[in-house]
Amino acid sequence: MTFATGARHGLSYIAEETFGTTPSSPDMTTFRHTACSLGLRKTTLETAEIRSDRQISHLLHGQKTVAGDIDFELSYGAFDDIPAALMQSDWSSDVLKAGASQPSFTFERGFTDIGQYQILTGCVMDRLRLSVRPDRLVSGKLSVLGKSSTLASSSLDASPTAAASNDPMDSFSGSLTEGGAAIGIVAGLDLVIDNGLEQAFVIGDAEAEALLAGSSRITGEIVTYFEDAGLLEKFVDRSESSLTITFSGAGGSLTFELPRIVYTGAENPALGAGPITLSLPFTALYDAGEATNLKLTRTAA
């Protein structure tokens, strides 16, 4: 008897021309990942009927949702489609800014050791969290919402196009500037791109008719060693600042530029005798000069 294992799990995707419809004879692309929980979920409808024997007599399936997370390690060239889909825009001369053109995708999860495949259609990129910590690879968690799921005993594309195979990026390579000046006291950084998707359900269909995006919301947090009051004062005075993070590695570099941010908190608790850190959550705002809240630039080596 053979059981499915994560070591043989495959993941691939393709952009859809029509929401919820996989293109015919699809040329899929491999999605490099470290974990995947994307799958079908349903609500349940339970009867409220009162019976003398106290039993529940009916339970039905309700609305269907495709949802889950895909974890990955950031590398140059392997994930260009993902930030474009999140930003709902297209690359222009290797620069990406926020837009309002929402694409959808078909994903395929392959359980190749048991010859089973799960097809997930109408998938839209909802949220991405990038995490940077000392002595670690740059990691990402992509949250996806979708329309429908089916099972198959054969793959949509038995030979998907391979993603770029550059090494994952790490926290040693690259740079970080805050307010236009290099900053070397950061112990951790998180960046979140959130589209605030909502599913539009109608009477007569258990699947969502559409996925509706909210505002482009970009937030994050930097954790620094508490060296002086400079960053703390920016929170106290509500002084706007900027943040630029460059990740470098094999193949090239990716630069995330937030031209206008506001710190929304500042905590520096003393937890024992060790070093005191300052945690600074922030929100990125629209910048008129760049015409975006986030500017992403890719530069080939």
Side-chain angles (χ1 to χ4, degrees), residues 20 26 74-75 84 140 150 224 236-237:
L74 187 66
S75 62
T150 57
T224 72
V236 173
D237 298 336

Side-chain angles (χ1 to χ4, degrees), residues 208-230:
E209 287 295 306
L211 295 175
L212 309 177
S215 298
S216 171
R217 183 172 180 81
I218 297 178
T219 59
E221 183 177 69
I222 59 174
V223 178
T224 72
Y225 290 106
F226 193 28
E227 182 182 51
D228 57 45

